[in-house]
Amino acid sequence: QVQLVESGGGLVQAGGSLRLSCAASGRAFSTYAMAWFRQAPGKEREFIAAIGRSGSITYYADSVKGRFTISRDNAKNTVYLQMNSLRPEDTAVYYCAASARYLYVSPGEYDYWGQGTQVTVSS
């Protein structure tokens, strides 16, 4: 079992920034593709961004392209989500996920999930 722990969520004003972190257990972090998803109340879990094993390949949902940046530090077993120009519609619980095979946009393809961290964007 791989444990993923998100942190860095909180309350921020519209137009502001937050950086989320996801710390992974184990020494095999670099073999996993990683992704961020979010889920607002009453809505389905939504793909945000994914990153390949080495960090050289990234993929973003249109809703966050140009505002959010996914990155990883394999030496620290950590993946990040830098969120800029935040909007109230970005309010959600943000989850990180790990895939042992490839980076996908479907949540069903991911093997491990964190517990989530709340992001609230106010006006």
Side-chain angles (χ1 to χ4, degrees):
Q1 183 72 28
V2 174
Q3 282 79 50
L4 304 174
V5 180
E6 301 96 336
S7 62
L11 176 65
V12 64
Q13 295 181 21
S17 298
L18 283 174
R19 174 175 285 190
L20 306 184
S21 299
C22 176
S25 66
R27 64 184 184 274
F29 176 75
S30 63
T31 70
Y32 288 85
M34 301 293 296
W36 287 95
F37 292 79
R38 68 187 181 189
Q39 189 165 19
K43 298 179 66 177
E44 294 291 323
R45 192 162 296 187
E46 175 189 10
F47 171 80
I48 298 300
I51 188 165
R53 295 175 179 88
S54 70
S56 62
I57 298 174
T58 58
Y59 184 72
Y60 296 91
D62 288 343
S63 60
V64 305
K65 198 173 299 180
R67 299 189 298 124
F68 292 8
T69 303
I70 189 171
S71 62
R72 67 191 297 162
D73 185 341
N74 288 343
K76 292 183 169 64
N77 281 13
T78 303
V79 63
Y80 305 95
L81 185 68
Q82 178 67 47
M83 305 185 294
N84 299 326
S85 302
L86 283 163
R87 307 164 180 169
E89 53 263 42
D90 295 319
T91 296
V93 177
Y94 283 70
Y95 299 89
C96 67
S99 169
R101 290 170 292 278
Y102 197 68
L103 68 166
Y104 305 98
V105 300
S106 172
E109 299 288 351
Y110 285 84
D111 302 298
Y112 303 102
W113 294 85
Q115 81 290 345
T117 186
Q118 177 71 47
V119 172
T120 303
V121 184
S122 67
S123 299

